[in-house]
Amino acid sequence: MAQTVPNVKRSVPNILITGTPGVGKSTLCAQLAEVTGLQWLEISKIAKDYNCLEEFDEVYQCPYLDEDKLLDGLEEVMCKGGNIVDYHCNELFPERWFDVVFVLRADNTVLYDRLTARGYTGKKLEDNVQCEIFQTILEEARASYKPEIVHELYSRTPNELQDNINRICLWIQNWLQDNST
Ligand code: DAT
C-alpha cells in the first residue's frame, strides 16, 4: 500500500505535466527543467529504474505498472517539492502532491503524425489518437484534482511550446510570491 503522509507545506511547488503520449510532455519538461532548475521526474523511466514494471501487455505493447511501489518510492522527493512530474496518466498520484496540473493537448492529425513517426501502429496508435479526441486525460485530471488547478495547454507548434514555458514560469513566480513567508 502507498504510504499515507500528512500534507506538508512546500517552499517550492510540484508541477504535474500530463497528456496523451505524443502531445509533447518530454519536450516541454526538458526545457522547463532547464530554465527553472526544477527536477524533471519522467515517470516512465523512473518506473523502470525502481523495478516497478511487471509482465508485458501484448495488446497495448507496454508493461504493467506496480503503482504502489512507484508511489512509495517517490513519496520523499515529492514531499520536498520542486518537481516536474511527467506522465501520461494522472489519477494514480496522491492529489496532495501537486500545486498545479498542466494537461498538454495536440490536434488529432498532429498527434497521429507524431505517433506514427515514433513507430506506433494498429491498436496502440488508434487508442492513443482516440484518447486525445475524447480528451480522456483532461477529464481524468479534472476528476482527480481541484478543477481550478488544472490547466489545458495546446502544444502543436514551437511557438506554442515557448508560450507554454513562459506561462508555466510565470505561474511558478506567482506561486513563490504567494507562498513566501
Ligand atoms: P510525449 O512526451 O508527450 O510523448 P514528446 O515530447 O516526446 O511527447 O513529443 C513527441 C514529438 O513531438 C517529438 O518528436 C517532439 C515533437 N513536439 C513536441 N512538442 C512540440 C511542439 N510544441 N511543436 C512541434 N513539435 C513538438
Side-chain angles (χ1 to χ4, degrees):
M1 278 294 286
Q3 296 164 22
T4 46
V5 176
N7 202 359
V8 181
K9 198 171 175 339
R10 294 179 277 272
S11 58
V12 194
N14 284 325
I15 297 170
L16 175 58
I17 306 289
T18 187
T20 310
V23 288
K25 299 180 297 297
S26 311
T27 306
L28 180 135
C29 289
Q31 293 190 27
L32 190 62
E34 205 172 307
V35 291
T36 61
L38 299 185
Q39 179 171 225
W40 174 22
L41 299 180
E42 206 174 351
I43 296 301
S44 306
K45 288 205 174 130
I46 289 172
K48 257 189 228 157
D49 295 345
Y50 289 7
N51 288 323
C52 299
L53 299 180
E54 298 172 337
E55 80 255 47
F56 203 73
D57 183 328
E58 291 300 338
V59 177
Y60 289 98
Q61 294 288 299
C62 61
Y64 292 110
L65 175 67
D66 182 341
E67 293 183 2
D68 286 344
K69 192 173 175 187
L70 176 78
L71 299 183
D72 284 346
L74 286 170
E75 180 65 42
E76 199 179 328
V77 74
M78 291 304 295
C79 283
K80 286 186 186 143
N83 300 293
I84 304 166
V85 173
D86 162 5
Y87 199 46
H88 58 272
C89 298
N90 55 71
E91 66 186 356
L92 72 161
F93 302 117
E95 191 183 352
R96 65 187 158 78
W97 274 8
F98 297 105
D99 301 290
V100 70
V101 178
F102 292 102
V103 183
L104 298 196
R105 304 294 311 276
D107 294 336
N108 316 321
T109 48
V110 170
L111 189 66
Y112 184 93
D113 291 345
R114 288 183 189 170
L115 292 178
T116 306
R118 190 182 272 182
Y120 282 25
T121 55
K123 183 165 171 53
K124 192 171 183 178
L125 175 62
E126 279 167 36
D127 283 357
N128 280 297
V129 173
Q130 274 205 11
C131 176
E132 189 58 16
I133 293 170
F134 292 118
Q135 55 183 47
T136 309
I137 309 298
L138 179 65
E139 299 302 335
E140 184 186 314
R142 285 177 175 155
S144 306
Y145 302 90
K146 290 194 187 103
E148 62 268 27
I149 72 157
V150 177
H151 306 278
E152 190 181 5
L153 296 178
Y154 273 84
S155 193
R156 297 162 288 203
T157 63
N159 280 348
E160 284 184 340
L161 171 64
Q162 192 53 55
D163 288 348
N164 293 338
I165 288 173
N166 294 343
R167 184 169 163 193
I168 298 172
C169 286
L170 191 62
W171 179 90
I172 294 169
Q173 272 177 22
N174 289 335
W175 189 95
L176 291 172
Q177 269 173 16
D178 293 348
N179 290 275
S180 65
T181 44

